[in-house]
Amino acid sequence: MRALILVLDSVGIGAAPDAALYGDDGANTVGHIAEACALGDADNAHRQGPLHIPHLVELGLGEACHLASGCRPPGLKYRASTVSHFGCAIEQSRGKDTPSGHWEIAGVPVPFDWGYFPKTVPCFPRELTDALCEHGGLPGVLGNCHASGTEIIARLGSLHMQTGMPICYTSADSVFQIAAHEEVFGLDRLYALCQVARRLLDPFKIGRIIARPFVGSSSEDFTRTYNRRDFSVPPPEDTILDIAAADNRDIVSVGKIDDIFAHRATGRNKKGAGNDALLDCTLHGFEHLADGGLLFANFIDFDTIYGHRRDIAGYAAALEAFDTRLPELLARLKRDDLLVITADHGCDPTWRGTDHTREQVPILMSRARVTSRVGQRFGFADVAATVARHLELRPPRHGAPF
C-alpha cells in the first residue's frame, strides 16, 4: 500500500471562480492549448494536429476540464476507464504561487497574503539591495525590475559577466530571483547569495528566493540550466509529508518538492534535468518505495519552459511526451497503490503577460478499487486528506477525503 502525488506544474483546467481578482478571468491552460492544436496553431517541427494525450484522457482529464469550465476541450473526449476517478479543485489559498499550491495539496492552505514588489523601476527597496550588496560582497545589482527570466538574461547577461553584478528581478509571484553565470560568477557563490537574500527577505514575507544559473557567452546562446534552486519559507503547519515522517514512513520527493517544502520531511530527494529525467526519477523512486510510503513529485517543464514563455506548441508537445510515458508508471501500480495526478496553478500560454494564471486544477486518480468521480472540490487539501486515509495516517487539519 503506497501513495504517489504527481504535480504537473501549471497544468490548470479553467479559471477559478475568483480569477477576475487576478486579471485571469477566462484563462484555461489545457483548454486553450487543445483549441490551438485543433486549429493547427500549435503545429511545429516536433508536433502536429489535435492534442493527443489518450492516457490522461482515459484517467478523466477531459471530464475534469468539463467540471471546471463547462466544456470538454477538443480531442479530450472521455473514454471510460475501470481504474480512474476524477474531478477538479478550487484553490483556497490566496495568490497563484507555487508554494501556496503545493502546500495546499499537502494539506496546508495559505490564509495570509504573501509580500510582492511593485511594478516600478527600481522595484526593490533601496535598503534591501544595499544590504544584499554589503552582506553578499557585491559591487551592485542589475535588473531591479519585473521581468521574464529569459528576456532579462539575454538583455543583461553580458553586462553581468563584465561587472560581476548579479541580475535581480521579480514577477507577479512572491519571489526574488537572482540570475548569474554558472562559470563566471560561480554556482556555489550564487547559492550562498540566495541564502543571504532569504534572511534579508523574511521580513518582507517573500515566498521564494530562486537561484537562476545560466551558461553561454552572449545573448545569442545564454541558456538557463537545471541547477536552479528555490529557497522557500517552511510551511506554517504540518503537511502530509510531516505527518508521514512522524509515523516513520518511507518518503521520496522528486524535483523541486524538496525546495518548496524547505527540505522539511522530504525524505530521499531525486532531481532530474527536465520532465523526462524526472519521470525516470519517479519510476526509480517508486520501485524502491517501501510499503506505506509516499512519493511526491513535481514536473517543472510545463511551467518554466513553456508556460512562462507562452510557447503553446512546446507546452502541447510536453503534455504529449508525458502522456506517452505515463503507462510505464501505471503498469507498476499494485492493486492497493494510490496515484493522484494534479497541478498547483495555471500558466496559460495563450494568456497575456508571462505570469501564472489563477485556475482550477485537475484531480486524476488511479486505484483498482475506485470507479467513482471526485467532483468539484473546494480546496486542494482534499488530496492530502485522501492520501492520509489511504495510508492510514492521522488526517491533516485541513481537507476532506474523497
Side-chain angles (χ1 to χ4, degrees), residues 130-195:
D130 284 350
L132 185 65
C133 291
E134 178 185 352
H135 295 289
L138 304 172
V141 300
L142 301 173
N144 205 336
C145 60
H146 282 245
S148 158
T150 51
E151 178 276 328
I152 200 168
I153 289 171
R155 177 164 54 89
L156 297 176
S158 295
L159 184 59
H160 154 70
M161 294 170 69
Q162 295 165 14
T163 63
M165 299 182 189
I167 304 167
C168 300
Y169 62 103
T170 188
S171 70
D173 297 334
S174 181
V175 66
F176 185 92
Q177 307 193 64
I178 307 178
H181 198 283
E182 273 197 15
E183 297 154 0
V184 175
F185 192 86
L187 192 59
D188 289 340
R189 186 184 176 198
L190 173 59
Y191 292 160
L193 181 62
C194 287
Q195 289 175 326

Short mmCIF file of all heavy atoms in Angstrom, two decimals, residues 130-195:
data_model
loop_
_atom_site.label_atom_id
_atom_site.label_comp_id
_atom_site.label_asym_id
_atom_site.label_seq_id
_atom_site.Cartn_x
_atom_site.Cartn_y
_atom_site.Cartn_z
N ASP A 130 20.94 47.45 -0.85
CA ASP A 130 22.18 47.86 -0.17
C ASP A 130 22.65 46.76 0.77
O ASP A 130 23.86 46.44 0.83
CB ASP A 130 21.95 49.15 0.63
CG ASP A 130 21.89 50.38 -0.26
OD1 ASP A 130 22.21 50.27 -1.46
OD2 ASP A 130 21.51 51.45 0.25
N ALA A 131 21.72 46.16 1.51
CA ALA A 131 22.09 45.08 2.44
C ALA A 131 22.58 43.85 1.70
O ALA A 131 23.52 43.17 2.13
CB ALA A 131 20.89 44.74 3.33
N LEU A 132 21.93 43.54 0.56
CA LEU A 132 22.35 42.39 -0.23
C LEU A 132 23.78 42.58 -0.74
O LEU A 132 24.59 41.65 -0.71
CB LEU A 132 21.39 42.18 -1.40
CG LEU A 132 21.62 40.94 -2.26
CD1 LEU A 132 21.39 39.67 -1.44
CD2 LEU A 132 20.71 40.95 -3.48
N CYS A 133 24.09 43.79 -1.21
CA CYS A 133 25.44 44.07 -1.70
C CYS A 133 26.46 44.00 -0.57
O CYS A 133 27.56 43.45 -0.73
CB CYS A 133 25.48 45.44 -2.36
SG CYS A 133 24.56 45.54 -3.92
N GLU A 134 26.07 44.53 0.59
CA GLU A 134 27.00 44.54 1.73
C GLU A 134 27.30 43.13 2.22
O GLU A 134 28.47 42.74 2.36
CB GLU A 134 26.42 45.38 2.86
CG GLU A 134 27.31 45.41 4.11
CD GLU A 134 26.66 46.15 5.27
OE1 GLU A 134 25.59 46.77 5.06
OE2 GLU A 134 27.23 46.09 6.39
N HIS A 135 26.24 42.35 2.46
CA HIS A 135 26.42 41.01 3.01
C HIS A 135 26.87 40.00 1.97
O HIS A 135 27.45 38.97 2.31
CB HIS A 135 25.13 40.55 3.68
CG HIS A 135 24.74 41.36 4.88
ND1 HIS A 135 25.41 41.31 6.07
CD2 HIS A 135 23.73 42.25 5.05
CE1 HIS A 135 24.85 42.14 6.93
NE2 HIS A 135 23.82 42.72 6.34
N GLY A 136 26.60 40.29 0.69
CA GLY A 136 27.00 39.37 -0.37
C GLY A 136 28.29 39.75 -1.05
O GLY A 136 28.75 39.04 -1.96
N GLY A 137 28.92 40.86 -0.63
CA GLY A 137 30.17 41.29 -1.23
C GLY A 137 30.02 41.63 -2.71
O GLY A 137 30.86 41.25 -3.54
N LEU A 138 28.98 42.38 -3.05
CA LEU A 138 28.66 42.69 -4.45
C LEU A 138 28.97 44.15 -4.77
O LEU A 138 28.77 45.03 -3.94
CB LEU A 138 27.18 42.43 -4.73
CG LEU A 138 26.64 41.04 -4.42
CD1 LEU A 138 25.12 41.03 -4.59
CD2 LEU A 138 27.28 40.00 -5.33
N PRO A 139 29.40 44.42 -6.01
CA PRO A 139 29.59 45.81 -6.43
C PRO A 139 28.28 46.52 -6.76
O PRO A 139 28.24 47.73 -6.95
CB PRO A 139 30.46 45.68 -7.68
CG PRO A 139 30.11 44.33 -8.24
CD PRO A 139 29.84 43.47 -7.04
N GLY A 140 27.20 45.76 -6.83
CA GLY A 140 25.89 46.30 -7.17
C GLY A 140 25.04 45.19 -7.75
O GLY A 140 25.44 44.03 -7.80
N VAL A 141 23.82 45.54 -8.17
CA VAL A 141 22.93 44.57 -8.80
C VAL A 141 22.39 45.15 -10.10
O VAL A 141 22.29 46.38 -10.25
CB VAL A 141 21.75 44.16 -7.89
CG1 VAL A 141 22.26 43.52 -6.60
CG2 VAL A 141 20.84 45.35 -7.58
N LEU A 142 22.04 44.27 -11.01
CA LEU A 142 21.41 44.65 -12.28
C LEU A 142 19.94 44.27 -12.24
O LEU A 142 19.51 43.44 -11.44
CB LEU A 142 22.11 43.95 -13.44
CG LEU A 142 23.61 44.22 -13.62
CD1 LEU A 142 24.18 43.32 -14.72
CD2 LEU A 142 23.86 45.68 -13.95
N GLY A 143 19.18 44.83 -13.15
CA GLY A 143 17.76 44.49 -13.26
C GLY A 143 16.91 45.35 -12.37
O GLY A 143 16.48 46.43 -12.72
N ASN A 144 16.62 44.81 -11.15
CA ASN A 144 15.82 45.54 -10.17
C ASN A 144 14.45 45.91 -10.74
O ASN A 144 14.01 47.05 -10.66
CB ASN A 144 16.56 46.78 -9.69
CG ASN A 144 16.12 47.24 -8.31
OD1 ASN A 144 15.01 46.94 -7.89
ND2 ASN A 144 16.97 47.98 -7.63
N CYS A 145 13.79 44.90 -11.33
CA CYS A 145 12.52 45.17 -12.01
C CYS A 145 11.73 43.87 -12.16
O CYS A 145 12.22 42.79 -11.85
CB CYS A 145 12.79 45.75 -13.40
SG CYS A 145 13.74 44.66 -14.48
N HIS A 146 10.50 43.99 -12.63
CA HIS A 146 9.71 42.84 -13.06
C HIS A 146 10.19 42.44 -14.45
O HIS A 146 10.40 43.30 -15.31
CB HIS A 146 8.23 43.20 -13.13
CG HIS A 146 7.56 43.24 -11.79
ND1 HIS A 146 6.56 42.37 -11.45
CD2 HIS A 146 7.76 44.05 -10.71
CE1 HIS A 146 6.15 42.64 -10.22
NE2 HIS A 146 6.86 43.65 -9.75
N ALA A 147 10.38 41.15 -14.67
CA ALA A 147 10.90 40.73 -15.97
C ALA A 147 10.67 39.26 -16.21
O ALA A 147 10.48 38.46 -15.27
CB ALA A 147 12.40 41.03 -16.06
N SER A 148 10.70 38.87 -17.48
CA SER A 148 10.78 37.48 -17.89
C SER A 148 12.22 37.04 -17.72
O SER A 148 13.16 37.75 -18.11
CB SER A 148 10.36 37.34 -19.36
OG SER A 148 10.89 36.15 -19.92
N GLY A 149 12.43 35.86 -17.15
CA GLY A 149 13.78 35.40 -16.89
C GLY A 149 14.65 35.27 -18.11
O GLY A 149 15.82 35.67 -18.10
N THR A 150 14.10 34.71 -19.17
CA THR A 150 14.90 34.55 -20.38
C THR A 150 15.22 35.89 -21.02
O THR A 150 16.32 36.12 -21.51
CB THR A 150 14.18 33.65 -21.39
OG1 THR A 150 12.85 34.13 -21.59
CG2 THR A 150 14.11 32.22 -20.89
N GLU A 151 14.25 36.81 -20.99
CA GLU A 151 14.45 38.12 -21.61
C GLU A 151 15.51 38.93 -20.87
O GLU A 151 16.39 39.54 -21.48
CB GLU A 151 13.11 38.88 -21.64
CG GLU A 151 13.19 40.28 -22.22
CD GLU A 151 13.62 41.35 -21.21
OE1 GLU A 151 13.31 41.20 -20.01
OE2 GLU A 151 14.32 42.30 -21.64
N ILE A 152 15.46 38.92 -19.55
CA ILE A 152 16.39 39.76 -18.80
C ILE A 152 17.81 39.20 -18.84
O ILE A 152 18.79 39.95 -18.83
CB ILE A 152 15.90 39.97 -17.35
CG1 ILE A 152 16.57 41.21 -16.74
CG2 ILE A 152 16.13 38.74 -16.49
CD1 ILE A 152 15.96 41.67 -15.44
N ILE A 153 17.94 37.88 -18.92
CA ILE A 153 19.27 37.29 -19.07
C ILE A 153 19.86 37.64 -20.43
O ILE A 153 21.03 37.99 -20.55
CB ILE A 153 19.22 35.77 -18.85
CG1 ILE A 153 18.96 35.47 -17.37
CG2 ILE A 153 20.52 35.11 -19.31
CD1 ILE A 153 18.68 34.02 -17.07
N ALA A 154 19.04 37.58 -21.48
CA ALA A 154 19.51 37.96 -22.81
C ALA A 154 19.92 39.43 -22.84
O ALA A 154 20.92 39.80 -23.48
CB ALA A 154 18.43 37.69 -23.84
N ARG A 155 19.20 40.26 -22.10
CA ARG A 155 19.45 41.70 -22.13
C ARG A 155 20.63 42.11 -21.27
O ARG A 155 21.40 43.00 -21.64
CB ARG A 155 18.17 42.43 -21.69
CG ARG A 155 18.30 43.95 -21.61
CD ARG A 155 16.94 44.62 -21.56
NE ARG A 155 16.09 44.12 -20.51
CZ ARG A 155 16.05 44.61 -19.27
NH1 ARG A 155 16.85 45.62 -18.94
NH2 ARG A 155 15.20 44.13 -18.38
N LEU A 156 20.80 41.46 -20.12
CA LEU A 156 21.80 41.91 -19.15
C LEU A 156 22.91 40.90 -18.88
O LEU A 156 23.82 41.18 -18.10
CB LEU A 156 21.11 42.26 -17.83
CG LEU A 156 20.11 43.42 -17.86
CD1 LEU A 156 19.44 43.60 -16.50
CD2 LEU A 156 20.79 44.71 -18.29
N GLY A 157 22.84 39.73 -19.51
CA GLY A 157 23.81 38.69 -19.22
C GLY A 157 25.25 39.09 -19.48
O GLY A 157 26.15 38.83 -18.68
N SER A 158 25.48 39.75 -20.60
CA SER A 158 26.85 40.17 -20.93
C SER A 158 27.38 41.20 -19.94
O SER A 158 28.54 41.14 -19.50
CB SER A 158 26.90 40.72 -22.36
OG SER A 158 26.59 39.72 -23.30
N LEU A 159 26.52 42.17 -19.57
CA LEU A 159 26.92 43.18 -18.61
C LEU A 159 27.22 42.54 -17.25
O LEU A 159 28.16 42.94 -16.55
CB LEU A 159 25.82 44.24 -18.48
CG LEU A 159 26.13 45.44 -17.57
CD1 LEU A 159 27.39 46.18 -18.05
CD2 LEU A 159 24.93 46.38 -17.52
N HIS A 160 26.42 41.55 -16.88
CA HIS A 160 26.67 40.81 -15.64
C HIS A 160 28.05 40.17 -15.65
O HIS A 160 28.80 40.24 -14.67
CB HIS A 160 25.60 39.75 -15.46
CG HIS A 160 26.02 38.57 -14.64
ND1 HIS A 160 26.25 38.65 -13.28
CD2 HIS A 160 26.30 37.27 -14.99
CE1 HIS A 160 26.63 37.46 -12.83
NE2 HIS A 160 26.67 36.62 -13.85
N MET A 161 28.41 39.54 -16.78
CA MET A 161 29.71 38.89 -16.88
C MET A 161 30.86 39.90 -16.79
O MET A 161 31.92 39.60 -16.25
CB MET A 161 29.78 38.09 -18.17
CG MET A 161 28.80 36.91 -18.21
SD MET A 161 28.69 36.16 -19.85
CE MET A 161 30.31 35.39 -20.00
N GLN A 162 30.63 41.10 -17.30
CA GLN A 162 31.67 42.13 -17.28
C GLN A 162 31.84 42.76 -15.91
O GLN A 162 32.97 43.08 -15.50
CB GLN A 162 31.32 43.23 -18.29
CG GLN A 162 31.33 42.78 -19.74
CD GLN A 162 30.64 43.80 -20.65
OE1 GLN A 162 30.39 44.93 -20.25
NE2 GLN A 162 30.33 43.38 -21.87
N THR A 163 30.74 42.94 -15.19
CA THR A 163 30.78 43.71 -13.94
C THR A 163 30.77 42.86 -12.67
O THR A 163 31.14 43.35 -11.61
CB THR A 163 29.57 44.65 -13.87
OG1 THR A 163 28.36 43.85 -13.83
CG2 THR A 163 29.53 45.58 -15.08
N GLY A 164 30.32 41.62 -12.78
CA GLY A 164 30.17 40.79 -11.59
C GLY A 164 28.92 41.08 -10.79
O GLY A 164 28.72 40.53 -9.70
N MET A 165 28.05 41.95 -11.33
CA MET A 165 26.79 42.25 -10.65
C MET A 165 25.74 41.20 -11.04
O MET A 165 25.48 41.00 -12.22
CB MET A 165 26.27 43.63 -11.05
CG MET A 165 27.18 44.78 -10.69
SD MET A 165 26.40 46.36 -11.17
CE MET A 165 27.78 47.50 -10.91
N PRO A 166 25.12 40.53 -10.07
CA PRO A 166 24.06 39.57 -10.40
C PRO A 166 22.81 40.28 -10.90
O PRO A 166 22.60 41.47 -10.63
CB PRO A 166 23.82 38.86 -9.07
CG PRO A 166 24.19 39.87 -8.04
CD PRO A 166 25.34 40.65 -8.63
N ILE A 167 21.98 39.56 -11.62
CA ILE A 167 20.74 40.10 -12.16
C ILE A 167 19.61 39.75 -11.19
O ILE A 167 19.31 38.57 -10.98
CB ILE A 167 20.45 39.51 -13.55
CG1 ILE A 167 21.63 39.76 -14.49
CG2 ILE A 167 19.16 40.09 -14.12
CD1 ILE A 167 21.55 38.96 -15.79
N CYS A 168 18.99 40.74 -10.61
CA CYS A 168 17.92 40.53 -9.63
C CYS A 168 16.60 41.03 -10.21
O CYS A 168 16.52 42.17 -10.70
CB CYS A 168 18.22 41.26 -8.33
SG CYS A 168 19.75 40.73 -7.52
N TYR A 169 15.57 40.18 -10.15
CA TYR A 169 14.29 40.55 -10.74
C TYR A 169 13.17 39.80 -10.04
O TYR A 169 13.40 38.89 -9.23
CB TYR A 169 14.28 40.28 -12.25
CG TYR A 169 14.46 38.82 -12.63
CD1 TYR A 169 13.38 38.04 -13.03
CD2 TYR A 169 15.73 38.21 -12.61
CE1 TYR A 169 13.54 36.71 -13.39
CE2 TYR A 169 15.89 36.89 -12.97
CZ TYR A 169 14.80 36.15 -13.36
OH TYR A 169 14.96 34.82 -13.72
N THR A 170 11.95 40.16 -10.34
CA THR A 170 10.79 39.53 -9.73
C THR A 170 9.70 39.35 -10.78
O THR A 170 9.93 39.57 -11.98
CB THR A 170 10.28 40.38 -8.55
OG1 THR A 170 9.27 39.64 -7.84
CG2 THR A 170 9.72 41.71 -9.00
N SER A 171 8.52 38.94 -10.32
CA SER A 171 7.37 38.75 -11.22
C SER A 171 6.11 39.04 -10.42
O SER A 171 6.18 39.59 -9.32
CB SER A 171 7.35 37.32 -11.77
OG SER A 171 7.03 36.40 -10.73
N ALA A 172 4.97 38.61 -10.95
CA ALA A 172 3.72 38.79 -10.22
C ALA A 172 3.64 37.86 -9.01
O ALA A 172 2.79 38.04 -8.14
CB ALA A 172 2.53 38.53 -11.14
N ASP A 173 4.53 36.87 -8.94
CA ASP A 173 4.56 35.97 -7.79
C ASP A 173 5.35 36.61 -6.65
O ASP A 173 6.07 37.59 -6.84
CB ASP A 173 5.23 34.64 -8.17
CG ASP A 173 4.44 33.89 -9.23
OD1 ASP A 173 3.22 34.11 -9.31
OD2 ASP A 173 5.05 33.10 -9.97
N SER A 174 5.23 36.01 -5.48
CA SER A 174 6.01 36.45 -4.33
C SER A 174 7.39 35.81 -4.42
O SER A 174 7.66 34.77 -3.83
CB SER A 174 5.30 36.03 -3.03
OG SER A 174 6.04 36.46 -1.92
N VAL A 175 8.27 36.48 -5.17
CA VAL A 175 9.55 35.85 -5.50
C VAL A 175 10.62 36.91 -5.71
O VAL A 175 10.35 38.03 -6.16
CB VAL A 175 9.39 34.98 -6.77
CG1 VAL A 175 9.08 35.82 -7.99
CG2 VAL A 175 10.62 34.12 -7.02
N PHE A 176 11.85 36.56 -5.34
CA PHE A 176 13.04 37.37 -5.60
C PHE A 176 14.01 36.44 -6.33
O PHE A 176 14.46 35.44 -5.76
CB PHE A 176 13.64 37.87 -4.29
CG PHE A 176 14.80 38.82 -4.45
CD1 PHE A 176 14.60 40.19 -4.50
CD2 PHE A 176 16.11 38.35 -4.55
CE1 PHE A 176 15.66 41.07 -4.62
CE2 PHE A 176 17.19 39.22 -4.67
CZ PHE A 176 16.96 40.59 -4.71
N GLN A 177 14.29 36.72 -7.59
CA GLN A 177 15.10 35.83 -8.40
C GLN A 177 16.47 36.45 -8.67
O GLN A 177 16.58 37.64 -8.94
CB GLN A 177 14.40 35.52 -9.72
CG GLN A 177 12.98 35.00 -9.52
CD GLN A 177 12.37 34.41 -10.76
OE1 GLN A 177 12.84 33.41 -11.27
NE2 GLN A 177 11.32 35.03 -11.27
N ILE A 178 17.50 35.62 -8.57
CA ILE A 178 18.87 36.06 -8.81
C ILE A 178 19.47 35.20 -9.92
O ILE A 178 19.64 33.99 -9.74
CB ILE A 178 19.74 35.98 -7.55
CG1 ILE A 178 19.07 36.71 -6.38
CG2 ILE A 178 21.13 36.54 -7.83
CD1 ILE A 178 19.85 36.62 -5.08
N ALA A 179 19.77 35.82 -11.05
CA ALA A 179 20.39 35.11 -12.17
C ALA A 179 21.87 35.45 -12.21
O ALA A 179 22.27 36.60 -12.04
CB ALA A 179 19.72 35.51 -13.49
N ALA A 180 22.69 34.42 -12.44
CA ALA A 180 24.13 34.61 -12.52
C ALA A 180 24.74 33.50 -13.36
O ALA A 180 24.19 32.39 -13.44
CB ALA A 180 24.76 34.62 -11.13
N HIS A 181 25.87 33.81 -13.98
CA HIS A 181 26.55 32.85 -14.85
C HIS A 181 27.21 31.76 -13.99
O HIS A 181 27.95 32.05 -13.06
CB HIS A 181 27.59 33.57 -15.70
CG HIS A 181 28.04 32.80 -16.90
ND1 HIS A 181 28.92 31.75 -16.81
CD2 HIS A 181 27.72 32.93 -18.21
CE1 HIS A 181 29.14 31.26 -18.02
NE2 HIS A 181 28.42 31.95 -18.89
N GLU A 182 26.93 30.51 -14.32
CA GLU A 182 27.44 29.39 -13.53
C GLU A 182 28.96 29.41 -13.41
O GLU A 182 29.52 29.09 -12.37
CB GLU A 182 27.01 28.05 -14.14
CG GLU A 182 25.67 27.58 -13.68
CD GLU A 182 25.44 26.11 -13.97
OE1 GLU A 182 26.40 25.38 -14.28
OE2 GLU A 182 24.27 25.69 -13.90
N GLU A 183 29.64 29.74 -14.50
CA GLU A 183 31.10 29.64 -14.51
C GLU A 183 31.77 30.95 -14.10
O GLU A 183 32.72 30.97 -13.32
CB GLU A 183 31.58 29.22 -15.90
CG GLU A 183 31.08 27.83 -16.29
CD GLU A 183 30.99 27.64 -17.79
OE1 GLU A 183 31.32 28.59 -18.53
OE2 GLU A 183 30.58 26.54 -18.21
N VAL A 184 31.27 32.07 -14.59
CA VAL A 184 31.89 33.36 -14.30
C VAL A 184 31.62 33.79 -12.86
O VAL A 184 32.53 34.19 -12.12
CB VAL A 184 31.38 34.45 -15.28
CG1 VAL A 184 31.93 35.81 -14.91
CG2 VAL A 184 31.77 34.07 -16.71
N PHE A 185 30.38 33.70 -12.43
CA PHE A 185 30.01 34.09 -11.07
C PHE A 185 30.23 32.93 -10.10
O PHE A 185 30.67 33.13 -8.97
CB PHE A 185 28.54 34.55 -11.04
CG PHE A 185 28.13 35.22 -9.77
CD1 PHE A 185 28.33 36.58 -9.60
CD2 PHE A 185 27.51 34.52 -8.75
CE1 PHE A 185 27.94 37.22 -8.42
CE2 PHE A 185 27.11 35.14 -7.58
CZ PHE A 185 27.32 36.50 -7.42
N GLY A 186 29.89 31.72 -10.54
CA GLY A 186 30.05 30.53 -9.71
C GLY A 186 28.75 30.06 -9.11
O GLY A 186 27.99 30.86 -8.55
N LEU A 187 28.47 28.75 -9.24
CA LEU A 187 27.21 28.20 -8.75
C LEU A 187 27.13 28.24 -7.23
O LEU A 187 26.10 28.65 -6.66
CB LEU A 187 27.05 26.77 -9.26
CG LEU A 187 25.68 26.12 -9.10
CD1 LEU A 187 24.61 26.93 -9.81
CD2 LEU A 187 25.70 24.68 -9.63
N ASP A 188 28.19 27.84 -6.54
CA ASP A 188 28.17 27.86 -5.08
C ASP A 188 28.00 29.28 -4.55
O ASP A 188 27.32 29.51 -3.56
CB ASP A 188 29.45 27.24 -4.53
CG ASP A 188 29.51 25.73 -4.75
OD1 ASP A 188 28.45 25.14 -4.97
OD2 ASP A 188 30.62 25.17 -4.70
N ARG A 189 28.64 30.24 -5.22
CA ARG A 189 28.51 31.63 -4.80
C ARG A 189 27.08 32.13 -4.99
O ARG A 189 26.55 32.87 -4.15
CB ARG A 189 29.48 32.50 -5.58
CG ARG A 189 29.53 33.95 -5.10
CD ARG A 189 30.43 34.79 -5.96
NE ARG A 189 30.40 36.19 -5.55
CZ ARG A 189 30.80 37.20 -6.32
NH1 ARG A 189 31.31 36.95 -7.53
NH2 ARG A 189 30.73 38.44 -5.88
N LEU A 190 26.44 31.70 -6.07
CA LEU A 190 25.06 32.08 -6.32
C LEU A 190 24.15 31.52 -5.23
O LEU A 190 23.29 32.23 -4.69
CB LEU A 190 24.61 31.59 -7.69
CG LEU A 190 23.13 31.77 -8.04
CD1 LEU A 190 22.72 33.24 -7.98
CD2 LEU A 190 22.82 31.19 -9.42
N TYR A 191 24.34 30.24 -4.87
CA TYR A 191 23.53 29.64 -3.81
C TYR A 191 23.74 30.37 -2.48
O TYR A 191 22.79 30.62 -1.74
CB TYR A 191 23.88 28.16 -3.65
CG TYR A 191 23.48 27.27 -4.80
CD1 TYR A 191 24.08 26.03 -4.98
CD2 TYR A 191 22.49 27.64 -5.71
CE1 TYR A 191 23.72 25.19 -6.02
CE2 TYR A 191 22.12 26.82 -6.75
CZ TYR A 191 22.75 25.58 -6.91
OH TYR A 191 22.39 24.76 -7.94
N ALA A 192 25.00 30.69 -2.18
CA ALA A 192 25.29 31.39 -0.92
C ALA A 192 24.63 32.77 -0.89
O ALA A 192 24.10 33.20 0.14
CB ALA A 192 26.80 31.51 -0.74
N LEU A 193 24.63 33.44 -2.05
CA LEU A 193 23.98 34.75 -2.14
C LEU A 193 22.48 34.62 -1.93
O LEU A 193 21.86 35.48 -1.27
CB LEU A 193 24.28 35.39 -3.50
CG LEU A 193 23.69 36.78 -3.75
CD1 LEU A 193 24.25 37.78 -2.74
CD2 LEU A 193 23.98 37.24 -5.18
N CYS A 194 21.88 33.57 -2.45
CA CYS A 194 20.45 33.36 -2.25
C CYS A 194 20.13 33.09 -0.79
O CYS A 194 19.06 33.49 -0.29
CB CYS A 194 19.97 32.20 -3.12
SG CYS A 194 19.87 32.59 -4.88
N GLN A 195 21.03 32.44 -0.07
CA GLN A 195 20.81 32.22 1.36
C GLN A 195 20.85 33.55 2.12
O GLN A 195 20.08 33.76 3.06
CB GLN A 195 21.87 31.26 1.90
CG GLN A 195 21.66 29.83 1.41
CD GLN A 195 22.77 28.90 1.86
OE1 GLN A 195 23.93 29.28 1.96
NE2 GLN A 195 22.41 27.65 2.13
#
